[in-house]
């Protein structure tokens, strides 16, 4: 049920990822998104066993520690480690349904994804249920198509799309917002490759994370 449009509540946003490791390509577009739509808190959700991607090189506790180091002192970000305690694959819809129950039916809730994930969303577990529990905030990604793969999927996108960020705080779920965020060509794969080659990565991720990677001997 929509919240009263005369009394919008605070939009809560969540951002999941393997974060192997977390880097500026995660953080800076989300900071720009927060400014664009008026977010005052983004909760990072590190995945335990990502069902659609290769298994992480760093273990769960190392990835959690890198997230904590990356966001230390930044009031925009918080971290929720619930998925790291799972022993089964991390399905986004199941986590979001749990959080929806915790927050209540009226709380505006959003899940942040990249344009690359939007284009493959129809391959996610129970993807059509996502908009029943949250909005989708989509970050621009360099080199990706701005249209869905089929006319049916494009119609689904257009049916739920909004260009009004204020609407996201007046409804608990159901909309897709395509953000005008910076497209940073930084990937965890690139960072791991540079580490394998013994190259410096200070320009790609926060220095405390880089120091932790070095101390732990990760990605060699």
């Amino acid at each position: 049920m929509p919240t009263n449009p005369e009394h919008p509540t605070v939009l809560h946003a969540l951002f999941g990822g393997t974060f192997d490791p977390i880097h500026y390509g995660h953080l800076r577009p989300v900071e720009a998104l927060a400014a664009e739509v008026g977010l005052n808190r983004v909760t990072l959700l590190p995945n335990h066993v990502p069902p659609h991607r290769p298994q992480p090189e760093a273990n769960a506790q190392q990835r959690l520690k890198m997230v904590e180091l990356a966001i230390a002192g930044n009031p925009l970000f918080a971290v929720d480690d619930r998925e790291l305690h799972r022993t089964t694959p991390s399905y986004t819809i199941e986590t979001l349904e749990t959080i929806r129950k915790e927050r209540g039916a009226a709380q505006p809730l959003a899940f942040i994804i990249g344009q690359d994930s939007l284009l493959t969303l129809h391959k996610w577990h129970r993807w059509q249920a996502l908009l029943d529990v949250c909005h989708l905030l989509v970050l621009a990604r360099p080199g990706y198509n701005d249209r869905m793969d089929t006319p049916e999927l494009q119609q689904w996108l257009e049916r739920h799309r909004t260009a009004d960020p204020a609407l996201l705080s007046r409804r608990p779920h159901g909309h897709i917002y395509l953000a005008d965020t910076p497209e940073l060509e930084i990937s965890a794969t690139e960072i791991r490759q540079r580490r394998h080659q013994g190259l410096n990565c200070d320009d790609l991720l926060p220095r405390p994370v880089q120091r932790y990677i070095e101390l732990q001997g990760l990605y060699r």
Side-chain angles (χ1 to χ4, degrees):
M1 179 179 296
T3 56
N4 187 332
E6 296 302 317
H7 299 90
T9 53
V10 175
L11 175 64
H12 292 180
L14 306 154
F15 184 37
T18 307
F19 303 129
D20 186 31
I22 191 167
H23 52 73
Y24 288 136
H26 297 123
L27 299 170
R28 288 176 176 167
V30 171
E31 289 173 331
L33 172 70
E36 185 175 332
V37 303
L39 300 173
N40 58 20
R41 179 59 61 93
V42 175
T43 300
L44 302 178
L45 286 162
N47 302 144
H48 175 49
V49 184
H52 303 294
R53 308 183 66 172
Q55 297 309 293
E57 289 190 32
N59 65 38
Q61 291 310 308
Q62 289 170 328
R63 291 184 291 111
L64 176 61
K65 183 62 176 179
M66 288 188 283
V67 169
E68 291 172 343
L69 288 168
I71 66 176
N74 188 332
L76 174 64
F77 291 107
V79 61
D80 184 327
D81 67 354
R82 73 179 68 210
E83 289 202 350
L84 296 178
H85 300 291
R86 296 175 66 114
T87 56
T88 56
S90 295
Y91 289 116
T92 298
I93 183 61
E94 294 174 358
T95 299
L96 289 174
E97 286 176 336
T98 300
I99 293 172
R100 167 55 71 195
K101 289 178 183 176
E102 294 171 358
R103 303 288 179 88
Q107 170 65 57
L109 191 65
F111 189 68
I112 300 169
I113 61 174
Q115 178 71 14
D116 51 339
S117 294
L118 177 66
L119 294 173
T120 58
L121 199 69
H122 59 285
K123 299 179 182 179
W124 288 26
H125 179 62
R126 294 177 53 220
W127 71 276
Q128 289 176 305
L130 288 169
L131 291 179
D132 293 334
V133 293
C134 67
H135 303 298
L136 292 176
L137 307 180
V138 184
L139 303 170
R141 288 280 194 263
Y144 284 92
N145 195 349
D146 60 359
R147 293 188 66 82
M148 305 295 282
D149 283 349
T150 68
E152 292 77 15
L153 289 170
Q154 185 63 30
Q155 289 167 7
W156 169 83
L157 172 60
E158 297 300 336
R159 189 162 63 248
H160 296 285
R161 182 176 178 181
T162 180
D164 179 10
L167 186 63
L168 303 169
S169 294
R170 297 200 299 267
R171 302 285 187 271
H173 57 79
H175 294 290
I176 302 171
Y177 181 84
L178 304 185
D180 184 23
T181 49
E183 300 185 29
L184 300 182
E185 295 202 48
I186 301 174
S187 72
T189 299
E190 177 191 1
I191 292 169
R192 293 194 297 268
Q193 289 173 345
R194 287 176 65 163
R195 283 284 301 165
H196 293 158
Q197 296 165 11
L199 301 176
N200 184 284
C201 299
D202 285 354
D203 57 327
L204 304 180
L205 71 174
R207 181 60 189 155
V209 179
Q210 170 82 345
R211 284 198 299 268
Y212 180 80
I213 288 171
E214 292 167 353
L215 288 170
Q216 293 286 307
L218 291 171
Y219 315 122
R220 286 182 173 174

